[in-house]
Every structure is written in C-alpha cells, then in structure tokens.
Amino acid sequence: MEIEVVEGGEGEGRLYGGDAVGKEQTVWMSHGDEAARLPEGFRVVARSRQGTVAAIESPERRLYGLQYHPEVTHSTLGMETLQHFLFNVCGLSPGWKMEDVLEQEINVIKNLVEPNDHVICALSGGVDSTVAATLVHKAIGDRLHCIFVDNGLLRYKERERVMSTFESDLHLPVTCVDASDRFLSKLKGVTDPERKRKIIGGEFIAIFDDFAVELEHKLGRKPAFLVQGTLYPDVIESCPPPGSGRTHSHTIKSHHNVGGLPKDMKLKLIEPLKLLFKDEVRELGSILNVPQAFLKRHPFPGPGLAVRVLGDVTQGNALEITRQADEIFVQAIKDAGIYDSIWQAFAVFLPVLTVGVQGDQRTHSYVVGLRAITSEDGMTADWYKFQSEFLDNVSRKICNNVRGVNRVVLDITSKPPATVEWE
C-alpha cells in the first residue's frame, strides 16, 4: 500500500523527520484493522492514499504508532524509518552486535542451568536447532545430550546425510532414534493441518521425556531442560507475543515447537534463538564456526513432510512420491547454480488425481506442486522466477522418474497472502 506523510493541517511530525525518510513510501499494510478515532493528544502524521491512518504520534509524551510493518522487506523505506526513529528520535547509538547476543545467551544459559544439571537438545538437521545446540554446547559442554528423531517424515536420505554432518563436521554428541512407525501410526487418517502439528509436537516431547528417563538411569540425574531452535517468526505465527496482553491476534499456524507443545510437558525449555530471525541465526552460526555449507541449507519445517503432503500422510505412497520429487527439484536447483539465491524450495504432494498419457497409455495419477521463494527473514516472501527451460526439464524429470505422478504445477504466490508451507 502507498502511504504519504501528512503536511499542513494535521502537522508533519518527528516520526519521519521531514526529508530524513521521505514523503512517500510503499508499506506492508495487509490487515483489516483501522484507527477510527485518535487518542487524546495524538495527531496523524501519515495516511494511505485512500485516507487510512498509517502513523500517529504524540511527541510531548514521546509516543509513536504505526499501522503497518516497517520491519519487512515489502516496506520499501521501512529500515530507514526504523533507523531514523531509533537513532534520531530516540537518540540511541548503533552499538548492537551479534557477538553481544552470543555472550548474553551464554550467560543466560549458565545462570539458568545448575552446575550438575544435564540438558537435552532436539536436533532436526536444520540450521536453527544446530546453531542452538552449538551455542548451548559452548555454554555447558558435555552436559548437553543431543537427540535426532527420525519421525518418518524426513526428506530423501535426510537421516544419513544429517547424522554424517553432526558426527564429522560439528562433532556434537548425538543419539539417533528411529520413531517413524510411532509417528505415522498416530498420523494415520489425520487430514487437518493443525491436528498434524499438535500430534507431531506431542510425540516429539514424549520421545524427549523417554530419552530423559534413559539418561537418568545412565547419569543418575534426570535432565531438566530441553533446547529447541525456535525462531521469532515461529512465535509470531503460533501465538501473540508473551506478555503482549493481546487476545485478538490470529494463530496463523501452530509450529510444532511452539503452539504444538503439550501443556503438561515435564522438561523446561531453553530457546536461545527465539528473538532472532533466520538471517540473524545464520550470522550467529558463522560466529560459532558452524560450516557455511550447513548454514546455507534451505529451511526445513519441524513437522517435516507432514505439512508438504496435503491430507493424510499415510495415504498410498504419498511420502515416497514427495521425497523423490523434492530430491529431483532441489538437485536441479543446485546443478543450475541458483541454490544460494533461493530461500527455500520444495515439492508438495497434492491428493488430486488427474488424467494423463504416459508411454502411450492413459494414466490417472497424482499432482506435484513446486514452490521456491526468495526472502530476507521468512516473514514475507516472493516466488522465485525460474527460466522456462529449467521448469520444463524439472517437470519432465519428475513425471518420467517418479511413479504415480503425471502432472507438475508451480506455486507463484507470495507471502502474504500465502504462507511458505502449504499447511
């Protein structure tokens, strides 16, 4: 949406600082909320071109309000607006560094975890949990016990690849647990995305509790904490910020490590990354000497392929179709040299049968969707513009090599209105 700084009658304010930011800008203002009446002592300092209040201020009380999101990349001058507010209006100095975050989180963990306490870390194979584990390992050393759960919802050869990385590159102490039958039996017949996420979150916690009991027998002391690689976007999408007092915020989707956690879980959480975005986590991981090849990995959702197989994940060979199509798609992206230009790319199984012709025979097979996005922080995203020749080759490879697929479609939806994952 286009907004303009108000001049004249209502009065230009400090929030935009005259020409410091600019008189016009495009902002992300996709919600339906609107300020119908101003609080006493406030004035409007920016409106949309349709007349909607976009920004207000009361300089005398040092209170300022925006009705849009300046922090996302879709707000073209959002960073300039925030910089002006922080450094010119508030008078702060730009002294914040990621090294400070690392030192602060290490101190928090050392003060939280008693000298004799042991901690479990849930490793998913993704960047977030790995950086969280490396950070906690730096804080408490060998009192950290990592667990990697094969829930039957992993990508093609993910278990073998991830365990090799943990052991050879990161040197983290990791126990691998095969719980695929356990997860898939609980998910059988479940089609609602929120139920899937909550079932998966509950099963993960149950497995971590079991692992804690095993460690208690081994160590003589039961671990009290669970480390998770929760990020700030997970918190935002799962629930209103803690202590915000907001009851009207919508849950976009319950991330299995936030909204999907059971209320009666026995382990206390350590979430050292919960106020960071993905790009900041990668910067933190670099400081912790996590290999760049690992830090550049595309994000993979905690619920795994459960949110990339629409409907019942146990239907037919849906998981295997998704794994094979995803592997072909991502490998083609790597071969084309564009992997690092894409935030996330994956295949989605659509429970839709369509008529096709393969090998001169009529087929009635499934549809695979392809999604690839670009983003800075995962809060907003645009779809990646592939060359048509690339898409043609990938579509042919999938249809020719993945049994049960005769049609490939491309998702060209940004976030918003869509989310990154389909479920």
Side-chain angles (χ1 to χ4, degrees):
M1 180 176 291
E2 301 296 324
I3 67 168
E4 299 175 341
V5 174
V6 173
E7 297 182 271
E10 291 173 279
E12 183 180 333
R14 299 185 63 200
L15 190 56
Y16 298 98
D19 294 327
V21 176
K23 303 295 185 184
E24 300 178 356
Q25 58 177 294
T26 300
V27 302
W28 184 29
M29 194 173 177
S30 61
H31 46 69
D33 298 333
E34 182 177 351
R37 187 174 68 254
L38 296 188
E40 184 178 348
F42 280 81
R43 62 182 177 180
V44 176
V45 291
R47 290 183 181 272
S48 72
R49 289 184 177 173
Q50 293 74 33
T52 302
V53 175
I56 62 174
E57 68 174 40
S58 176
E60 295 77 14
R61 287 187 285 175
R62 300 175 62 82
L63 295 175
Y64 304 82
L66 298 179
Q67 189 68 356
Y68 62 89
H69 293 271
E71 75 278 7
V72 301
T73 54
H74 287 177
S75 293
T76 54
L77 295 176
M79 286 298 105
E80 289 83 351
T81 301
L82 290 174
Q83 287 173 359
H84 169 71
F85 176 72
L86 292 172
F87 306 139
N88 297 331
V89 177
C90 299
L92 301 177
S93 58
W96 185 89
K97 302 189 298 294
M98 190 56 69
E99 288 82 0
D100 297 334
V101 175
L102 174 59
E103 181 180 353
Q104 176 182 314
E105 289 301 326
I106 287 176
N107 289 333
V108 167
I109 293 166
K110 285 183 176 179
N111 291 331
L112 182 65
V113 180
E114 296 292 333
N116 294 323
D117 277 344
H118 288 258
V119 176
I120 293 174
C121 180
L123 284 175
S124 67
V127 174
D128 310 331
S129 63
T130 301
V131 172
T134 306
L135 191 158
V136 176
H137 191 254
K138 185 177 180 66
I140 65 172
D142 59 7
R143 289 183 289 139
L144 174 71
H145 307 271
C146 298
I147 176 173
F148 174 75
V149 179
D150 182 351
N151 58 2
L153 303 167
L154 303 178
R155 289 173 289 193
Y156 183 78
K157 292 188 176 180
E158 179 80 352
R159 175 175 170 178
E160 296 90 331
R161 293 169 177 173
V162 165
M163 288 302 294
S164 175
T165 300
F166 287 153
E167 293 168 0
S168 61
D169 296 331
L170 298 173
H171 309 294
L172 289 172
V174 184
T175 298
C176 182
V177 175
D178 186 350
S180 52
D181 291 341
R182 176 172 176 169
F183 277 85
L184 294 179
S185 64
K186 288 292 183 74
L187 290 168
K188 186 175 179 59
V190 178
T191 59
D192 179 71
E194 279 294 288
R195 279 199 64 207
K196 286 185 191 179
R197 291 174 178 273
K198 291 184 181 299
I199 288 170
I200 292 168
E203 284 306 301
F204 269 124
I205 295 301
I207 289 171
F208 301 150
D209 282 338
D210 293 343
F211 184 58
V213 172
E214 293 177 14
L215 284 176
E216 182 180 17
H217 292 154
K218 179 181 177 181
L219 303 170
R221 185 180 180 90
K222 189 174 182 179
F225 296 93
L226 172 67
V227 178
Q228 291 197 138
T230 307
L231 302 192
Y232 193 51
D234 301 339
V235 177
I236 293 173
E237 291 187 338
S238 295
C239 53
S244 67
R246 284 160 39 199
T247 58
H248 63 280
S249 298
H250 289 271
T251 296
I252 307 301
K253 54 188 177 184
S254 294
H255 289 261
H256 80 287
N257 55 344
V258 185
L261 296 177
K263 295 180 180 179
D264 60 347
M265 63 178 289
K266 302 170 186 175
L267 297 166
K268 291 174 283 187
L269 287 179
I270 295 177
E271 298 172 301
L273 313 179
K274 68 180 180 181
L275 296 180
L276 301 180
F277 291 94
K278 178 73 75 173
D279 56 326
E280 296 171 321
V281 172
R282 288 192 169 113
E283 183 181 350
L284 183 60
S286 182
I287 296 171
L288 287 165
N289 295 317
V290 176
Q292 284 298 315
F294 197 87
L295 291 177
K296 291 180 179 179
R297 292 192 80 198
H298 289 180
F300 186 62
L305 298 183
V307 293
R308 294 181 180 175
V309 172
L310 305 195
D312 183 357
V313 300
T314 64
Q315 58 188 308
N317 58 340
L319 285 170
E320 191 56 33
I321 286 175
T322 310
R323 287 191 183 100
Q324 292 181 25
D326 184 81
E327 178 70 7
I328 291 171
F329 183 35
V330 174
Q331 189 57 53
I333 287 173
K334 291 178 178 178
D335 293 342
I338 55 177
Y339 184 82
D340 291 345
S341 300
I342 297 172
W343 173 273
Q344 201 167 350
F346 54 91
V348 180
F349 176 86
L350 308 182
V352 178
L353 291 168
T354 70
V355 174
V357 178
Q358 292 173 295
D360 296 327
Q361 292 184 340
R362 178 187 184 276
T363 60
H364 197 218
S365 301
Y366 289 107
V367 181
V368 165
L370 303 181
R371 180 140 171 85
I373 60 166
T374 59
S375 180
E376 292 294 329
D377 52 23
M379 291 300 295
T380 60
D382 290 309
W383 61 281
Y384 185 82
K385 280 70 175 178
F386 290 105
Q387 293 183 356
S388 57
E389 182 180 357
F390 173 88
L391 293 172
D392 180 51
N393 290 335
V394 168
S395 176
R396 291 177 188 274
K397 283 183 180 179
I398 291 175
C399 290
N400 290 338
N401 293 281
V402 182
R403 187 177 181 85
V405 176
N406 67 2
R407 195 177 300 269
V408 175
V409 298
L410 179 67
D411 182 348
I412 59 169
T413 319
S414 64
K415 175 188 179 181
T419 56
V420 174
E421 300 292 341
W422 277 46
E423 287 195 342

